Amino acid sequence: MQPTDTANPDYYHRVVDCQWACPAHTDVPEYIRLIAQGQFTAAYLVNRESNVFPGILGRVCDRPCEPACRRGRVEQEPVAICRLKRVAADHRDDVRPHLPKAPARKNGKRVVCIGAGPASLTVANDLMPLGYEVTIFEKWQTPGGLMRTNIPSFRLPEQVLSEEIGYIIDLGVDLRLGSPVTSMKQLLATGEFDAVFVGSGAPKGKDLKLPGRKDPAAAAHIHIGIDWLESVAFGHVKDIGRRVLIIGVGNTAMDCCRSSLRLGADDVKVMARKPRAFFKASEWELEDAEAENVEIVVNHAPKAFVTENGRLVGMRFDVMEYDLDATGRITAERVVGEKLLPCDDVILAIGQENAFPWIENDLGIEFDQWHVPKVDTTTYQSTRPSVFFGGDAAFGPKNIIWAVEHGHQAAISIHQFCQDREVAQRPPRLLNLSSRKMGLHEWAYKNDYNPVERRLMPHVDLKERFKKINIEVELGFTAEQAAAEVQRCLNCDVQTVFEARLCIECDACIDICPVDCLTMTPNGTEAEIRTRLKAPALRVTQPLFVSAPLQHTARVMVKDEDVCVHCGLCAERCPTAAWDMQKSKIRIPYASDETTPCSSTPATPRPAPIRRSA
């Protein structure tokens, strides 16, 4: 194998698993360390640089970072990354003096965003400081998109939502509420805007075409999940029947079932066609629903709506049975029975679709067979160069953190486009490395392994939470819980940096490594080397580190990055400082990094990365 190219910024970035897994690449270890030091405002600002909505996402993020967390490889539970994000948001001081400002002098370019959801708001957040004039058209009378209409207030309080949206609108965004766009052709024909960003979400909930669906007696009591949640959010729906069936088992279904309980239902069942392993809902959302006595019924496929005497009385289901192979995939299914479940209302939460009835077919904006726009996955540019898409509108339903990342990337593209630059040319990521060494056995970071278990989130008492629909259920970590949880972080951004020319091949590092991630071996192919590792690789999702040939034997030092826990013992034990613990800082580029916001001339590039080794 060739020596690992650690100069590639993505190499060490990938080792920081939580940050690599986050679509917006939030610097998780850094903000956790700041929380540990009581610097909540600084931790909030580190979050906001990438994810824009720390208080919102600290409550409702889908948490792709947590399954990737290295702590989950040595214990059952990862660090409570998402909930620590909320700690920073809940305990910070006023951050407004530290937020970006829009310059008084504009750059003469105007951008319009359609829909005031997280993707559009991120575009505005990134472009306003560069002198752009950004207009957002929103069909509702309040901004937020599906964050406001589809996430219940008992999970996401209105105050948190409005405050973080307000930080962006207060930059001077021209927010036009109650202004749906009904014709893209007319919008483009005005010539008012230099670029268009479509962040209108996936606003069409899927229906279920079954016998009885069109019966007028049933129709009034069969609801489309996202539309129903929207009506609840705006106060148009204030009650529901006593017995409710939720069809579908994604996160929207969890919000529907828990909202039903708060509107008067006392018998709520979530109906799943397949076993639990195939559920789309996050495990913690399932746990919260079941804690509120929602019954989740598996292996029941909807068959028909049943009406009697002019009203909906139930649904008929096929009872399913499945054969699974060794990997858990379904190899066969069969109907083994039929069951009638009584109900007063049914809520369909079986998915969402893109809907663009307001985009005409003759504008050069191409769509695929599912009416999803053809969008470049890097630039978010459509087949009409001045029109960009992001969030659910681009590739279908995902989650807020993905919409934020789409917004960041689209903002870069829009800036490039408006400045007559090549849109596909992306600013590079940069890497800084700095030693954490303070003394022979001292480090400028906490490298002790703390065996404390993951803290449990305190909740409002079960009897209290149903009194009003806007009572936030999760209370947030106490100071003591936060202080314990931050110590579970393994500081994965403090990298083990190896200098082959200093190694004397004494084996001290190999002897002391607690997880056996180091091996000195003759070089060979990756397949050959993996058979010689001291600890057999359980996963091959991360590449091996392979050093240059060592000076005495021409062997190579091999490190399984997937196993390492960044304890620093190798660097402490090494007599020649061939190993050093160096903090990596990945610089993620944003449109707002430009240093000449009011000029159409190319911006001054960032300085070259500083890489220091022992």
Side-chain angles (χ1 to χ4, degrees), residues 222-396:
I222 300 172
H223 316 281
I224 303 298
I226 62 170
D227 296 339
W228 183 78
L229 286 172
E230 187 178 279
S231 296
V232 172
F234 291 125
H236 303 315
V237 169
K238 298 183 179 179
D239 55 49
I240 200 167
R242 187 180 67 82
R243 300 169 301 178
V244 180
L245 296 179
I246 312 293
I247 310 301
V249 70
N251 289 338
T252 296
M254 297 303 103
D255 288 335
C256 289
C257 69
R258 298 179 69 194
S259 295
S260 296
L261 291 171
R262 287 157 173 80
L263 295 181
D266 56 27
D267 178 8
V268 180
K269 293 181 174 63
V270 173
M271 309 303 298
R273 179 186 177 92
K274 295 179 181 179
R276 193 177 184 111
F278 296 90
F279 290 2
K280 292 183 178 180
S282 306
E283 189 58 38
W284 51 89
E285 299 240 30
L286 294 166
E287 291 171 359
D288 286 345
E290 290 177 315
E292 295 181 357
N293 297 316
V294 170
E295 182 182 357
I296 299 177
V297 182
V298 300
N299 299 355
H300 279 60
K303 189 173 184 179
F305 298 96
V306 179
T307 57
E308 289 181 4
N309 301 321
R311 69 185 187 94
L312 178 71
V313 297
M315 278 193 74
R316 191 175 296 115
F317 294 85
D318 282 333
V319 180
M320 308 297 296
E321 193 174 86
Y322 299 92
D323 294 333
L324 307 177
D325 63 16
T327 65
R329 293 185 303 175
I330 294 175
T331 58
E333 63 177 55
R334 53 194 163 274
V335 177
V336 295
E338 185 178 290
K339 192 171 185 179
L340 175 67
L341 291 179
C343 67
D344 301 305
D345 285 272
V346 175
I347 302 176
L348 304 177
I350 55 175
Q352 298 165 229
E353 296 176 323
N354 295 60
F356 303 103
W358 46 275
I359 298 181
E360 291 83 357
N361 295 327
D362 58 349
L363 299 177
I365 301 173
E366 297 180 18
F367 294 84
D368 65 17
Q369 57 184 319
W370 299 282
H371 205 60
V372 173
K374 293 183 178 180
V375 177
D376 186 281
T377 56
T378 299
T379 66
Y380 298 89
Q381 189 175 40
S382 74
T383 51
R384 183 177 178 120
S386 64
V387 178
F388 301 80
F389 287 74
D392 293 354
F395 307 113

Side-chain angles (χ1 to χ4, degrees), residues 51-80:
N51 71 36
V52 184
F53 306 108
I56 294 169
L57 287 165
R59 290 164 165 82
V60 300
C61 187
D62 209 38
R63 312 180 194 178
C65 54
E66 293 191 12
C69 176
R70 198 171 291 266
R71 185 83 183 203
R73 300 178 203 172
V74 293
E75 291 179 3
Q76 186 174 0
E77 294 288 344
V79 175

Side-chain angles (χ1 to χ4, degrees), residues 521-588:
T521 180
N523 207 337
T525 65
E526 180 175 348
E528 291 171 340
I529 288 178
R530 285 192 178 277
T531 65
R532 306 181 204 142
L533 298 180
K534 190 173 181 183
L538 300 178
R539 305 187 310 177
V540 293
T541 54
Q542 286 183 337
L544 297 174
F545 167 80
V546 178
S547 75
L550 302 177
Q551 58 182 334
H552 296 296
T553 65
R555 293 182 299 171
V556 290
M557 178 69 75
V558 179
K559 176 171 175 278
D560 188 345
E561 295 284 15
D562 190 64
V563 176
C564 178
V565 292
H566 298 238
C567 64
L569 290 175
C570 56
E572 288 185 12
R573 187 69 176 271
C574 181
T576 64
W579 287 105
D580 189 20
M581 303 305 293
Q582 298 187 15
K583 182 185 183 303
S584 61
K585 173 67 176 178
I586 307 299
R587 298 289 302 277
I588 305 297

